[in-house]
Amino acid sequence: MAAGAGSGSGERRGATARGAGSSMARSGRLRSGAAGKLKRWRKGHSSDCNPETRQHRLAARSRFCSRPAEKSNLTVDAVKLHNELQSGSLRLERPSGSAQCRMEEDDAGEAATEKSSGTFLSGLSDCTNVTFSKVQRFWESNSAAHKEICAVLAAVTEVIRSQGGKESETEYFAALMTTLEAVESPESLAAVAYLLNLVLKRVPSPVLIKKFSDASKAFMRIVSSQACSSSTSALRWVLSCLATLLRKQDLAAWSYPVTLQVYHGLLSFCVHTKPKVRKAAQYGVCSVLRGSEFMFGDAAPEHHPAAPSTAKFCVQEIEKAGGTKEATTTLHILALLRDLLPCFPAAVVKTCCETLLRVMTLSHVLVTACAMQAFHSLFSAQASVACLPAELNAQIITALYDYVPSTSDLQPLLTWLSTMERAHVNLGRLQKDLCWAHLPRLFSAAMNCFLSPHSQVVSAAAQTLETLLSECVAPHMDDLGTVSASAPAPAAYLCKMFRSVEEGLTYRFHAAWDEVLRVLEVFFETCGKQCHPIMRKCLRSLCDLRLSPHFPYTAEVDQAVGAAVGAMGPEVLLEAVPLEIDGKEETLDFPRSWLLPVLRDYVQGARLGFFTSYFLPLAAALKSRALEFTQAGKSVEAKIYDTLQWQVWTLLPGFCTHPMDVLGAFKGLARTLGMAISERPDLRPTVCQALRTLIHKGCETDAERAEVGRFAKNFLPILFNVYSQPEEDGGSNAQRRSVLDTVRAYLTITDPQMVCGFLQKASEKLTSPESSEFARLSILDLVVAMAPYADEQSLGSLYRTIQPSLQSKERSMQKKAYRVLEEVCAAPHAPCQAFVRSHLQDLQAALLDSLKSAASPAKRPRLKCLFHIVKQLSAEHEPFVTALVPEVILCTKEVSVGARKNAFTLLVEMGHAFIRFGPTPQEAMQRFLLLVYAGLTGSVTMISCTVLALTRLFFEFKDHLELSVVEQLLQNVCLLLASRTRDVVKAALGFLKVTLLLVDTKLLAKHVQAMLEAVGNLSDDMRRHFRMKLRNLFTKFIRKFGFELVKGLLPAEYHKVLVNIRKAEARSRKQRALRQAAVDTDEDEAPPAQPRGDSMEEILADSEDEEEEEEEWQRSKEWRKQARQKGQAWLKEGEEDEPLNFLDPNVSQRVLATKPGPKRSRGVSHDFQVSEDGRLIIHEEEEELDDDEAKGVDEEMADVLQDVGLRSKKSQKCRFREEPDDEEPEAGTYPQYRAGGSGIHRPLNKEPAFGAEYRSKKGKGDVKKKGQLDPYAYIPLNRARLNKRKRAKMQGQFKGLMKGAQRGAKAGRRNRLKAQRP
């Protein structure tokens, strides 16, 4: 009784809200189309000035002192309610932490909020149950139905609170069920049903199981009363409630007849005429059968107890509808079956599939399409054997061949192909042998689709075959042996499939040869290893086809043959298609020479022995033939044979990629490779690449690594000798770098004792007076490569050998010595780390002693070496780190980019070292900064370097610096702005920019005056020189502190710049807003207003509908158009005069969903776009902007960060990508200077662009030049234009040409007339 009374109270309150809300809606709503005629303010500009039109104010003022003529309905309560609603005080308060709600509220706003706390909707605004957050989110709607929902929720919440409830889902369920029985109006019924739909999903299952009888009776009563009503809102939500109620029941409840009776009531609405109701019922049925809670438990049944009756209902409805013309009910049932077929048991699935096949005989286009979709969903769901046995799957596949659409019927054929693909993939999952037995027929049918005039059908057929090969065939290929033409099943099925695809190389498939070749490529990849005996004929056909004149698909043939090489191996390919090159040719025509590049690109996993036995003799024969021609003076023939033998040698890296016989074949090849490295400079890069590939990608086991490493004693001395030779004998610098890379690769598999022996010999040669400078530098490069692999004893002797070179006056020697130390310090191997730990004191002393003699080129490896040493230091080594500070600071302005980068990296590592030294990070950083501050008292260069170092340290360790340290740092930098040296001022301005980026506005506010005063006191020369930097700095200040503050703190000579900045910022903001508004307009364009009536779904659509509404509105026209087209069908007549036989079993192929027409050739893509009137659209390159104008604030900040080593420019990034960080180019290898840019750096030999002489200097477009041709595109005469068959194509190219020229002339004439007017 209390709940009922509460509900009545809620209704009275809701009625009040409805009255007020509906009056608001009537007074505030505009007629459709009237909103566009109103004058509106732009967003944010409504308070710029008073509006010009004030007719309502004047009318109100004229009646202000007069009394109304008759009794008014205005009361004190009505005014109070009106004020609360209009003032917005009833709006929900957003969370205080939201970023969008950070605004200051005045006293009036707070009072309004307090005043609204006791209104009749307070139960809505402070409802604590998250289930209804959706209703709260939609509160600001003007819909009467929406306000009804809010009023009901508020009333129910008040009733629960008055009873002392906790606002749980169960309490809301009880109160709403009581309210559901009490309400009478359709609006209130719909509102209560909607709220019940929300809360039922969160009510505990035991509650719904216990209250199932009462709740289902109440719902069924409303369903029966609303079934024929014009309003569908309440019915829709009650059906959703029924589905949720049924989904929560346990398995035992479904044994009672009442449960099935309720479920059948829901099921009957799946064919309702109203779309919203039908959709809700179908969604509810699917959720019950697929999402009931007991279906996910441990004892879950194989299928839902209601599944057989659901299937029976669907079959009966389809049979009841029969073959009616519209077939609306059939389509609705098919849409339901599309989701439910995977949930049915096997016997029922068979019945449903038979029904689907019967309906497809009606040749109704839409019915056939929907039935195909149902089959597609059944196969795609990958149902269990209890639902879809393999035999039934195979029977459906066989039956679907009777419904193959015509090859000219686009959409049905695409659907059929997709369905058959999924059917075979699912059958392969269930039973492989049965699937393979059905694949040949599908391959034959799919190849017929390659004759379709539609390119989409051809692509879909090719994609279907590729999917079947990769998903049905490839996983089982390892179980087969070698497949021959006479092999039994299942290999025989594979032969039939390949013959079907091979037939695609005949001429009648020539229009689709590119797709056929793509399918063949996949066939070779998946089956080539086992099926090469049956593929040899196809390979010969491919090679003959490639040699045919004007063959357009040579690239596709190369890819297909390459796939065959990768799968079968080069031996099989060359047996099927001989190379026909042996060095004894009488003519210079090599028809199969194209195979060499294909083999080079695709060979891998082959036998090294085959290269030794076949290709090495061939290369030797070709080389000897080239020498014969050279001696005979025939240079062209000699060059051809020399190129061929080089191409043969380029196959070697591919043979070294994952070879099969490293253990047995490498020893027979090693001697030849060594001779090629030492005696053949032209083959040296190729052989070195092959060795590196073999080491990295061929030696996969320890035995293989040991076998290749066994020959290190032979290869390494050869490589050392080649690298140590001068460039005349040792080849170009690229070859020397390749040799050095090969040495590094070989050292990874060489015995460490052998490396130590090589290192000892290299040390002896370094100290030998007979060695030349080039030899010593080369030996040092080799020592750098070998050092990380030596033991501790050898490293000690090596260190003693190179220690004098650390102070050598020869810069190259000094740099190489530091490189050796760097490699030793950075190596992760245990001997190197042990050496560094044991010689730490010696290394520190040596590096400090060599500080004064360190040359500029040696700075980069020296700093890298120091970086690795500092990483290992502890607190007792703090004096060493302190001694490094001046050198590191000065190196931040080294010429070498790598040296600067390493200096900043070392500086940061020194900061981390001080933090390790302790005691606290703050004290450690203060101690470190005191050392850096000393640089501010040095020379001008030292001061600028120190400021750069402080900037980087501030950026890196800002969290470890106390506020007083930051303030002191800022004050010192502001003092440096008074310097008369540009480098110092530039570094100080960079520090200010980083400070503005990092420091919080509140902390920076007390120093903004000192910063701006220091900037304002710059001399005129500094102000002119750094005008762009100052402009960007002022922009950041204005964004952070506002225009007026910055203007007040800067002298008057800066005010003009500040005003200009403000205008530019306003202009950019306006442009951004316009762009954003355009984007928002495109994205958020609302659909046209429609009369809502009493329907609630447009206002409070359920979660599954909200995401689809906008997309549905945007595509409504396309859907209607497609629906009209889908509803139409065409009957294709017989060939020539043959009458159409309706008793033919294949007559269904004559019913087309696509209008039959003549075949159209595939469109040819041109390089230029064409406008609607036929003119070519050629985009001109934009003129380059001035650097100072184009550089924005973000780019300026990037420059500052790059100065302190945090970011590199694109050119530097490219340089670091091309060169390793630890290597510098040798002397003579630096790239030559190339002019670029503008002014004195402009390129002098740049080729002018085509037609550049006609370009106007004052504007865009072309101008006429006296004595030259007019700047038009001249069309050459062509006899083909007289051909009648090509006339339509030729006319299309020039369609609208004269009209376009006339429009352009008229526009130019108008512009000239405007310019001549005074």
Side-chain angles (χ1 to χ4, degrees):
M1 293 298 294
S7 300
S9 173
E11 287 184 38
R12 290 193 293 275
R13 297 182 184 184
T16 310
R18 279 199 304 277
S22 59
S23 65
M24 281 175 56
R26 285 195 296 273
S27 62
R29 296 287 294 275
L30 295 169
R31 265 200 328 269
S32 176
K37 302 176 182 178
L38 296 179
K39 182 177 180 181
R40 296 184 180 275
W41 298 103
R42 285 206 317 261
K43 185 176 180 180
H45 293 270
S46 58
S47 60
D48 287 354
C49 62
N50 288 329
E52 298 175 1
T53 56
R54 295 181 293 176
Q55 55 179 351
H56 300 294
R57 297 186 183 185
L58 294 175
R61 186 180 299 171
S62 64
R63 294 195 293 270
F64 184 71
C65 297
S66 61
R67 295 183 177 275
E70 56 185 20
K71 186 176 181 180
S72 173
N73 292 326
L74 187 64
T75 62
V76 176
D77 293 337
V79 171
K80 180 179 178 182
L81 177 62
H82 178 75
N83 289 338
E84 289 176 351
L85 291 172
Q86 293 293 332
S87 64
S89 60
L90 289 182
R91 292 182 180 178
L92 295 173
E93 297 181 16
R94 293 179 174 86
S96 59
S98 175
Q100 299 178 351
C101 301
R102 291 187 304 174
M103 53 180 65
E104 298 178 1
E105 298 183 357
D106 53 7
D107 297 338
E110 294 177 0
T113 305
E114 292 175 2
K115 182 174 62 175
S116 68
S117 61
T119 60
F120 69 93
L121 287 185
S122 59
L124 169 68
S125 61
D126 56 358
C127 177
T128 58
N129 197 307
V130 295
T131 305
F132 304 107
S133 59
K134 187 174 183 180
V135 178
Q136 296 172 341
R137 199 167 62 241
F138 288 141
W139 156 241
E140 295 180 358
S141 171
N142 290 327
S143 168
H146 196 173
K147 292 186 179 297
E148 180 72 20
I149 292 175
C150 297
V152 171
L153 177 59
V156 172
T157 304
E158 287 298 319
V159 169
I160 292 175
R161 288 176 181 170
S162 64
Q163 300 295 328
K166 298 180 180 179
E167 301 185 36
S168 64
E169 287 83 2
T170 306
E171 293 169 341
Y172 273 106
F173 168 62
L176 287 170
M177 287 300 297
T178 307
T179 310
L180 188 68
E181 298 174 356
V183 296
E184 297 178 355
S185 64
E187 295 85 1
S188 302
L189 185 63
V192 176
Y194 175 76
L195 294 173
L196 266 173
N197 170 57
L198 291 179
V199 79
L200 269 176
K201 299 172 184 177
R202 293 177 174 266
V203 176
S205 300
V207 176
L208 294 181
I209 293 173
K210 186 174 183 180
K211 293 294 182 182
F212 173 74
S213 178
D214 299 334
S216 60
K217 287 179 183 178
F219 290 148
M220 292 302 292
R221 178 180 59 81
I222 297 173
V223 165
S224 59
S225 63
Q226 296 288 323
C228 300
S229 174
S230 59
S231 172
T232 60
S233 300
L235 183 57
R236 176 190 177 188
W237 302 122
V238 171
L239 289 176
S240 182
C241 293
L242 264 178
T244 307
L245 186 64
L246 288 169
R247 197 171 69 242
K248 298 278 188 176
Q249 302 305 306
D250 55 6
L251 183 59
W254 286 93
S255 59
Y256 304 135
V258 64
T259 310
L260 289 174
Q261 184 180 359
V262 173
Y263 173 75
H264 288 153
L266 173 65
L267 187 62
S268 62
F269 283 91
C270 290
V271 291
H272 198 273
T273 55
K274 296 293 181 66
K276 296 287 185 180
V277 176
R278 184 174 64 251
K279 184 177 180 181
Q282 290 184 356
Y283 180 80
V285 169
C286 293
S287 66
V288 170
L289 291 188
R290 303 175 65 175
S292 292
E293 292 186 351
F294 63 82
M295 296 293 291
F296 300 100
D298 295 334
E302 292 182 349
H303 56 82
H304 198 279
S309 58
T310 307
K312 184 178 179 181
F313 168 81
C314 294
V315 172
Q316 288 176 352
E317 289 294 328
I318 292 177
E319 292 175 350
K320 189 189 304 180
T324 55
K325 183 178 180 182
E326 293 299 328
T328 308
T329 305
T330 304
L331 292 174
H332 296 164
I333 294 297
L334 291 177
L336 180 63
L337 283 175
R338 183 179 58 198
D339 297 326
L340 293 184
L341 268 180
C343 308
F344 291 163
V348 174
V349 169
K350 183 175 182 180
T351 307
C352 291
C353 291
E354 291 172 352
T355 307
L356 290 178
L357 292 172
R358 282 200 302 273
V359 213
M360 290 171 65
T361 57
L362 299 176
S363 297
H364 190 287
V365 176
L366 285 178
V367 170
T368 304
C370 289
M372 280 292 182
Q373 290 178 1
F375 281 123
H376 187 275
S377 67
L378 173 63
F379 297 130
S380 300
Q382 296 186 350
S384 62
V385 182
C387 171
L388 183 64
E391 293 76 12
L392 179 59
N393 193 332
Q395 291 171 5
I396 297 173
I397 289 175
T398 306
L400 286 178
Y401 281 107
D402 295 335
Y403 304 94
V404 182
S406 170
T407 54
S408 58
D409 214 357
L410 174 61
Q411 199 58 46
L413 192 52
L414 293 177
T415 307
W416 186 85
L417 283 171
S418 177
T419 304
M420 294 297 280
E421 173 192 320
R422 287 294 99 202
H424 285 78
V425 170
N426 190 62
L427 182 57
R429 182 181 63 87
L430 297 174
Q431 190 173 339
K432 184 262 294 185
D433 295 335
L434 196 56
C435 173
W436 279 39
H438 282 78
L439 279 176
R441 186 176 182 184
L442 180 58
F443 267 68
S444 177
M447 288 307 297
N448 289 333
C449 297
F450 280 74
L451 300 172
S452 172
H454 300 289
S455 59
Q456 299 98 311
V457 172
V458 178
S459 300
Q463 185 62 45
T464 296
L465 295 183
E466 292 171 20
T467 304
L468 292 173
L469 286 171
S470 59
E471 296 190 23
C472 298
V473 177
H476 309 288
M477 286 305 298
D478 293 336
D479 302 335
L480 294 178
T482 302
V483 177
S484 61
S486 59
Y493 302 136
L494 209 54
C495 297
K496 292 180 181 178
M497 287 186 272
F498 186 74
R499 288 195 200 102
S500 299
V501 180
E502 188 180 9
E503 189 185 356
L505 294 179
T506 56
Y507 186 74
R508 68 189 185 113
F509 291 93
H510 74 279
W513 268 349
D514 53 341
E515 299 292 347
V516 174
L517 291 171
R518 195 154 59 88
V519 177
L520 280 174
E521 178 186 350
V522 178
F523 224 126
F524 290 147
E525 286 178 357
T526 54
C527 312
K529 187 175 181 180
Q530 292 84 4
C531 301
H532 58 83
I534 65 173
M535 294 179 173
R536 299 190 179 195
K537 179 184 174 183
C538 180
L539 286 173
R540 286 192 289 270
S541 302
L542 283 178
C543 295
D544 296 340
L545 200 60
R546 193 186 188 280
L547 295 177
S548 57
H550 308 294
F551 183 68
Y553 304 115
T554 55
E556 286 79 0
V557 171
D558 290 351
Q559 291 177 3
V561 175
V565 171
M568 307 175 190
E571 299 178 64
V572 175
L573 177 74
L574 293 177
E575 286 178 11
V577 189
L579 198 57
E580 297 181 358
I581 300 174
D582 55 3
K584 301 176 183 179
E585 293 81 9
E586 298 180 358
T587 63
L588 296 179
D589 184 19
F590 303 99
R592 299 266 174 87
S593 61
W594 61 271
L595 282 172
L596 289 175
V598 173
L599 287 168
R600 178 197 64 204
D601 293 338
Y602 290 94
V603 66
Q604 61 175 350
R607 291 192 310 111
L608 271 176
F610 179 66
F611 182 85
T612 306
S613 61
Y614 182 85
F615 285 106
L616 277 184
L618 177 61
L622 293 173
K623 183 63 177 176
S624 63
R625 189 72 185 275
L627 291 175
E628 292 175 6
F629 280 119
T630 303
Q631 293 171 359
K634 298 180 180 180
S635 58
V636 175
E637 291 83 351
K639 184 66 176 176
I640 291 174
Y641 275 96
D642 199 38
T643 303
L644 282 175
Q645 68 91 23
W646 176 79
Q647 285 185 329
V648 170
W649 272 101
T650 56
L651 304 180
L652 181 57
F655 276 90
C656 291
T657 304
H658 307 297
M660 302 164 53
D661 55 346
V662 176
L663 296 176
F666 184 69
K667 57 186 176 183
L669 185 63
R671 180 181 176 82
T672 307
L673 297 184
M675 293 176 61
I677 292 174
S678 59
E679 299 175 3
R680 297 284 302 275
D682 57 327
L683 300 180
R684 193 173 294 152
T686 303
V687 177
C688 287
Q689 180 190 356
L691 282 176
R692 293 196 301 271
T693 306
L694 182 64
I695 293 168
H696 294 312
K697 298 181 180 179
C699 300
E700 299 176 354
T701 63
D702 293 337
E704 291 174 343
R705 281 190 287 271
E707 173 67 18
V708 179
R710 189 166 61 90
F711 292 90
K713 63 180 183 297
N714 306 107
F715 279 106
L716 286 178
I718 295 174
L719 294 170
F720 291 164
N721 292 333
V722 169
Y723 189 78
S724 303
Q725 293 172 0
E727 291 191 3
E728 293 79 19
D729 301 325
S732 64
N733 188 70
Q735 286 193 7
R736 297 185 73 243
R737 190 177 288 267
S738 175
V739 170
L740 186 59
D741 290 340
T742 309
V743 168
R744 287 189 179 128
Y746 225 119
L747 286 170
T748 59
I749 59 172
T750 305
D751 183 33
Q753 295 300 323
M754 189 181 297
V755 175
C756 294
F758 287 135
L759 199 58
Q760 183 178 358
K761 293 179 181 178
S763 302
E764 293 174 359
K765 286 190 176 183
L766 274 178
T767 56
S768 173
E770 299 177 358
S771 301
S772 63
E773 181 183 358
F774 179 83
R776 285 201 297 270
L777 291 176
S778 301
I779 291 170
L780 274 175
D781 284 334
L782 297 173
V783 169
V784 169
M786 289 188 287
Y789 303 98
D791 56 17
E792 188 174 355
Q793 182 180 357
S794 300
L795 288 175
S797 61
L798 175 64
Y799 174 67
R800 290 189 293 272
T801 303
I802 66 167
Q803 190 171 5
S805 300
L806 296 177
Q807 300 184 12
S808 173
K809 293 183 179 180
E810 296 180 12
R811 295 188 169 188
S812 298
M813 291 291 295
Q814 188 185 102
K815 175 187 171 184
K816 301 291 184 185
Y818 276 113
R819 284 283 294 115
V820 174
L821 269 187
E822 177 191 346
E823 286 295 324
V824 172
C825 294
H829 302 99
C832 295
Q833 294 181 353
F835 169 78
V836 173
R837 285 193 298 270
S838 60
H839 291 74
L840 198 56
Q841 298 293 339
D842 296 340
L843 287 172
Q844 294 179 25
L847 290 172
L848 287 179
D849 293 341
S850 60
L851 171 60
K852 296 181 180 180
S853 59
S856 181
K859 290 288 187 182
R860 180 164 77 166
R862 173 183 168 83
L863 291 169
K864 203 67 174 289
C865 184
L866 288 170
F867 169 76
H868 291 295
I869 290 177
V870 169
K871 285 177 69 174
Q872 303 187 23
L873 297 182
S874 54
E876 62 268 14
H877 301 104
E878 185 173 334
F880 173 70
V881 181
T882 304
L884 295 178
V885 171
E887 178 190 6
V888 177
I889 291 176
L890 280 175
C891 286
T892 57
K893 277 208 167 183
E894 273 290 331
V895 178
S896 169
V897 178
R900 294 199 300 269
K901 179 183 176 183
N902 289 348
F904 283 115
T905 307
L906 177 56
L907 189 69
V908 173
E909 184 56 40
M910 291 164 67
H912 288 299
F914 267 88
I915 292 177
R916 285 201 310 270
F917 298 163
T920 63
Q922 288 75 17
E923 294 181 8
M925 285 310 302
Q926 189 170 3
R927 199 166 69 251
F928 183 44
L929 287 179
L930 287 177
L931 301 175
V932 180
Y933 284 154
L936 297 176
T937 61
S939 62
V940 171
T941 305
M942 189 67 178
I943 293 174
S944 61
C945 292
T946 304
V947 176
L948 285 178
L950 288 171
T951 306
R952 177 60 188 268
L953 290 174
F954 179 48
F955 185 91
E956 199 73 33
F957 299 103
K958 56 184 178 296
D959 298 330
H960 298 309
L961 298 179
E962 296 179 350
L963 183 59
S964 58
V965 176
V966 176
E967 292 176 347
Q968 180 185 4
L969 193 57
L970 193 56
Q971 291 170 3
N972 292 335
V973 173
C974 289
L975 292 176
L976 292 175
L977 284 172
S979 172
R980 287 182 288 182
T981 308
R982 288 179 177 177
D983 284 348
V984 177
V985 175
K986 179 182 177 182
L989 290 175
F991 182 86
L992 290 184
K993 288 177 183 175
V994 174
T995 304
L996 286 172
L997 177 69
L998 299 179
V999 182
D1000 187 57
T1001 307
K1002 295 179 180 179
L1003 300 178
L1004 207 60
K1006 57 174 129 179
H1007 300 284
V1008 65
Q1009 182 175 358
M1011 295 165 66
L1012 288 175
E1013 285 180 356
V1015 173
N1017 292 331
L1018 288 176
S1019 62
D1020 294 341
D1021 176 64
M1022 295 292 180
R1023 197 165 68 242
R1024 280 193 302 270
H1025 185 73
F1026 296 114
R1027 58 187 181 278
M1028 290 308 299
K1029 291 185 180 294
L1030 288 174
R1031 179 187 179 89
N1032 293 325
L1033 185 64
F1034 292 153
T1035 303
K1036 293 183 180 297
F1037 271 111
I1038 289 174
R1039 289 177 181 175
K1040 221 167 181 69
F1041 299 104
F1043 174 78
E1044 296 299 333
L1045 176 63
V1046 177
K1047 182 181 178 183
L1049 295 176
L1050 283 175
E1053 53 264 26
Y1054 289 99
H1055 290 179
K1056 187 176 180 180
V1057 179
L1058 297 177
V1059 172
N1060 185 271
I1061 291 173
R1062 182 172 63 174
K1063 290 181 179 178
E1065 287 285 294
R1067 185 164 56 248
S1068 63
R1069 277 198 303 270
K1070 182 179 179 181
Q1071 292 173 353
R1072 282 197 303 269
L1074 290 175
R1075 285 195 298 268
Q1076 186 63 35
V1079 173
D1080 293 342
T1081 303
D1082 293 340
E1083 292 180 354
D1084 302 331
E1085 187 177 2
Q1090 298 177 354
R1092 298 189 178 183
D1094 55 359
S1095 66
M1096 195 182 311
E1097 41 274 10
E1098 288 85 358
I1099 312 160
L1100 289 175
D1102 205 357
S1103 58
E1104 65 270 10
D1105 300 330
E1106 291 174 1
E1107 300 173 355
E1108 302 175 2
E1109 287 183 354
E1110 184 177 355
E1111 184 179 357
E1112 288 179 359
W1113 173 77
Q1114 290 177 350
R1115 300 184 180 180
S1116 58
K1117 291 185 179 180
E1118 288 79 0
W1119 281 355
R1120 286 195 294 270
K1121 183 178 179 180
Q1122 292 176 5
R1124 287 196 300 270
Q1125 292 177 352
K1126 287 181 179 178
Q1128 299 174 354
W1130 286 268
L1131 196 63
K1132 186 177 180 181
E1133 293 292 343
E1135 300 295 336
E1136 298 179 355
D1137 297 333
E1138 180 185 353
L1140 181 61
N1141 182 11
F1142 285 98
L1143 297 179
D1144 188 355
N1146 295 326
V1147 72
S1148 61
Q1149 298 184 11
R1150 299 287 185 179
V1151 182
L1152 308 181
T1154 308
K1155 185 175 181 179
K1159 295 184 179 180
R1160 297 182 180 179
S1161 60
R1162 301 181 184 178
V1164 181
S1165 61
H1166 302 281
D1167 292 334
F1168 294 105
Q1169 298 177 358
V1170 183
S1171 62
E1172 293 180 357
D1173 54 2
R1175 291 180 292 173
L1176 293 177
I1177 301 175
I1178 302 175
H1179 300 282
E1180 295 184 357
E1181 296 182 359
E1182 295 293 331
E1183 297 295 329
E1184 295 184 359
L1185 299 175
D1186 186 68
D1187 289 344
D1188 290 342
E1189 295 294 333
K1191 183 182 289 187
V1193 179
D1194 295 335
E1195 189 176 347
E1196 182 69 23
M1197 177 54 73
D1199 289 344
V1200 174
L1201 296 180
Q1202 184 258 332
D1203 286 341
V1204 296
L1206 287 170
R1207 192 175 298 177
S1208 60
K1209 295 181 179 178
K1210 289 184 179 178
S1211 60
Q1212 293 161 353
K1213 287 181 181 178
C1214 295
R1215 189 182 308 165
F1216 281 128
R1217 286 195 198 103
E1218 293 168 1
E1219 300 175 9
D1221 184 44
D1222 55 352
E1223 283 292 328
E1224 283 189 359
E1226 301 297 330
T1229 65
Y1230 289 97
Q1232 297 295 323
Y1233 170 75
R1234 292 183 180 179
S1238 58
I1240 62 173
H1241 303 288
R1242 68 188 184 279
L1244 300 177
N1245 56 351
K1246 184 179 179 181
E1247 290 291 335
F1250 183 74
E1253 62 271 15
Y1254 294 103
R1255 182 170 293 177
S1256 173
K1257 296 181 179 179
K1258 297 182 179 180
K1260 291 187 177 181
D1262 296 331
V1263 294
K1264 294 184 178 182
K1265 297 287 186 179
K1266 188 175 181 180
Q1268 297 184 18
L1269 296 174
D1270 288 345
Y1272 301 140
Y1274 292 91
I1275 302 169
L1277 297 177
N1278 190 354
R1279 290 184 60 187
R1281 304 186 191 283
L1282 302 176
N1283 192 327
K1284 292 182 180 180
R1285 291 184 292 106
K1286 299 182 180 179
R1287 185 172 298 171
K1289 178 181 178 182
M1290 299 300 176
Q1291 287 176 353
Q1293 294 180 0
F1294 309 112
K1295 185 179 179 181
L1297 193 63
M1298 291 301 297
K1299 290 182 181 179
Q1302 290 170 359
R1303 281 198 296 269
K1306 287 180 181 179
R1309 193 179 303 114
R1310 284 197 300 269
N1311 292 336
R1312 284 196 299 273
L1313 291 175
K1314 287 181 182 179
Q1316 292 173 2
R1317 291 174 186 169

